[in-house]
Amino acid sequence: MNDSATNRGNAPFDVAVIGSGPGGYEAALHAARHGMKTCLVEKGPLGGVCVNWGCIPTKALLRSAEVYELVRSPGSFGVAASGVSFDLAQAVKRSRNVSLKSSKAVEYMLRKAGVEVRQGEAVLTGGTTVSVTAPDGTVSTVEARHLILATGARPRAIPGLEPDGNRVITSREALIMKEVPASMIVVGGGAIGVEMAWFYAKAGSKVTIVEMMPRLLPQEDAEISGQLLRSFEKSGIEVLCGARVADLRRGDSGVEADIAVDGAEARHAAADCLLVAIGVTGAVEGLGLEAAGVAVERGFIVTDAACRSSAPGIYAIGDVRGGMLLAHKASAEAAIAVEAIAGGTPDALEEALIPRCVYAQPSVASVGLTEEGALESGHQVRVGRSLFAASGKANAFGQLEGLVKLVFDAETDRMLGGHLIGHDAVELIGELGLACRYGMSADDLVRTVHAHPTLSETVREAAFNALPTS
């Protein structure tokens, strides 16, 4: 990958960033902190999909469902409540307000850092020059020594399951529904499908998940996925794994689907709506990548370890680059790209050390290798487990589901992976990420004093249970 600055030395900007999601705005802030004159171009609200239509509004809705679930059965906590109901419109309103505040926070940070923001749609016109068409139709040009493409991703189209915004929807429509549907089919048992299924089930929908792979969250540890399946089924969510929608029929009152299930008879399902949550592809259309000489493979921009594309001076970060499609990965890549532009030699991002989180309840969090992955990689493993049911804090909270599972190399005692499922387990993943990054041993974790009573003690207990026997 080449990054010659020939013919770009007199550009008005040192760096121009296309897209303002977590990767884009972080890249702009990093560049500004390096003293680079920086421009950011965004065609929609600042913060991108994550802030406006993804991570943030989803978590706000999930919190509403969690509160509703808690107040429906408050008796054991000594609280009397009656007439409790779920107001989806109010939950959506709160969710949109949370997103708006987050977008305003991004705007403030960029302004404070001295980043010039241009509202409009960007198209690369050759080299590192960008044409920007504003909402009013006016066109301006941005010339920069370096470009960072952070345009994110878009939902992947599945033949026969094309969204219509009414009966067949994406997560975007699911975030702003006015009424809770009586029933819903969710196609896809990954993070988005699981979170949306849990939310609408708690809000009152009869939910069926259809997942093509043999289990929910197929990239996660099999034991953790199994626990989530049991929790969902206990909550009344029907889960069909090894299944696909063979035929879908849309009507005025809902949808009907024929569902093929591996090793079983085909199922018929009917619902008010069907949510497609199968996956995404890079948002590369209409960017002018071909004119700029930026190579694309399988819907994503090709880059090296420092996020350089095939075109001189052009970088790509976040979802449009491929790999794990996670906001915090995009933020990490933002720092890598800017360091490379500044002349540094940034360390390559290790995908295995990127934490993965699913925010249903019980929530799922993981980092590093699964037990299956460690064995397939040739490791002899030692596994430590501890149940949240043994935690005093979990009992005080009334949330006993789940466990911590730690995977160590049996020969070196270095931690290879950490996996959790339980109430707010996502808040514990930071410690496990550090342990994996620095190859801590089970003894290191045991010797680290954990406050009592906290859920983090369960991490220590899992490490203790992984210690070799004498």
Side-chain angles (χ1 to χ4, degrees):
M1 304 282 180
N2 188 6
D3 193 21
S4 169
T6 304
N7 299 324
R8 293 182 275 121
N10 297 320
F13 294 100
D14 296 305
V15 176
V17 182
I18 313 303
S20 70
Y25 77 74
E26 288 276 1
L29 293 174
H30 279 298
R33 291 189 191 107
H34 275 78
M36 301 177 189
K37 186 170 177 56
T38 305
C39 177
L40 183 145
V41 182
E42 171 58 62
K43 66 180 179 181
L46 290 175
V49 170
C50 176
V51 166
N52 296 284
W53 296 103
C55 316
I56 303 305
T58 301
K59 305 314 167 276
L61 283 182
L62 292 172
R63 177 59 176 164
S64 291
E66 186 181 352
V67 171
Y68 179 49
E69 178 76 0
L70 182 63
V71 299
R72 286 175 65 190
S73 52
S76 63
F77 292 92
V79 176
S82 60
V84 176
S85 61
F86 190 79
D87 186 339
L88 179 60
Q90 183 60 36
V92 167
K93 180 179 179 180
R94 175 180 180 272
S95 170
R96 301 316 305 160
N97 284 336
V98 170
S99 288
L100 180 60
K101 289 179 182 178
S102 298
S103 181
K104 291 295 184 184
V106 172
E107 179 183 12
Y108 170 77
M109 289 187 292
L110 292 170
R111 184 171 62 250
K112 184 178 180 182
V115 175
E116 180 175 326
V117 176
R118 294 201 191 180
Q119 202 76 26
E121 187 157 0
V123 177
L124 280 62
T125 57
T128 52
T129 300
V130 178
S131 173
V132 181
T133 303
D136 64 4
T138 59
V139 179
S140 62
T141 298
V142 173
E143 296 180 9
R145 297 180 61 236
H146 304 275
L147 297 182
I148 298 178
L149 306 180
T151 53
R154 59 171 179 78
R156 189 155 49 93
I158 305 299
L161 299 182
E162 295 85 357
D164 56 30
N166 183 22
R167 294 304 174 188
V168 180
I169 62 175
T170 68
S171 59
R172 186 170 182 131
E173 289 83 26
L175 288 173
I176 54 174
M177 295 180 75
K178 294 181 172 59
E179 296 180 355
V180 177
S183 54
M184 174 184 286
I185 299 170
V186 176
V187 180
I192 295 174
V194 162
E195 290 177 359
M196 288 290 96
W198 184 84
F199 171 76
Y200 275 101
K202 294 304 178 183
S205 293
K206 172 62 179 173
V207 177
T208 299
I209 298 177
V210 179
E211 167 55 45
M212 184 173 64
M213 299 298 285
R215 64 176 190 258
L216 284 178
L217 302 180
Q219 302 302 316
E220 299 303 328
D221 187 272
E223 185 175 356
I224 300 297
S225 294
Q227 287 249 343
L228 182 66
L229 173 63
R230 289 188 288 276
S231 177
F232 270 29
E233 290 179 336
K234 184 179 177 181
S235 296
I237 300 172
E238 183 179 24
V239 180
L240 302 175
C241 291
R244 61 183 179 83
V245 176
D247 184 52
L248 178 68
R249 299 171 295 281
R250 313 169 195 228
D252 293 337
S253 59
V255 297
E256 293 188 26
D258 295 330
I259 301 173
V261 183
D262 292 347
E265 292 185 4
R267 299 279 298 272
H268 175 268
D272 288 358
C273 63
L274 181 145
L275 168 62
V276 181
I278 293 178
V280 299
T281 188
V284 296
E285 295 85 357
L287 278 177
L289 299 182
E290 185 175 346
V294 177
V296 175
E297 284 185 5
R298 298 181 180 180
F300 298 99
I301 295 175
V302 180
T303 62
D304 66 8
C307 302
R308 299 181 187 92
S309 78
S310 57
I314 301 179
Y315 295 68
I317 62 174
D319 289 0
V320 77
R321 184 183 180 228
M324 288 188 183
L325 307 180
L326 299 169
H328 43 281
K329 170 179 168 285
S331 296
E333 290 170 344
I336 290 171
V338 172
E339 185 177 346
I341 290 171
T345 54
D347 293 333
L349 187 62
E350 295 183 56
E351 287 222 347
L353 298 182
I354 300 170
R356 308 176 296 275
C357 297
V358 182
Y359 295 82
Q361 295 294 357
S363 63
V364 173
S366 60
V367 65
L369 296 176
T370 64
E371 182 179 3
E372 302 89 350
L375 292 170
E376 290 171 1
S377 298
H379 295 277
Q380 297 294 319
V381 303
R382 217 173 41 244
V383 176
R385 298 175 180 83
S386 183
L387 301 177
F388 282 115
S391 161
K393 182 64 175 293
N395 275 271
F397 263 51
Q399 301 286 352
L400 307 185
E401 281 189 298
L403 78 156
V404 176
K405 177 178 181 179
L406 306 181
V407 182
F408 296 89
D409 185 288
E411 295 182 359
T412 66
D413 200 30
R414 289 171 63 90
M415 186 166 163
L416 300 173
H419 310 276
L420 312 98
I421 180 170
H423 183 79
D424 274 355
V426 294
E427 302 299 338
L428 300 178
I429 197 60
E431 178 180 6
L432 302 189
L434 281 170
C436 281
R437 177 170 182 177
Y438 294 106
M440 294 176 67
S441 67
D443 188 59
D444 290 330
L445 286 170
V446 170
R447 289 176 180 271
T448 300
V449 178
H450 290 70
H452 175 80
T454 62
L455 294 178
S456 69
E457 290 176 291
T458 309
V459 172
R460 181 185 180 278
E461 291 304 313
F464 181 83
N465 291 330
L467 292 173
T469 56
S470 56

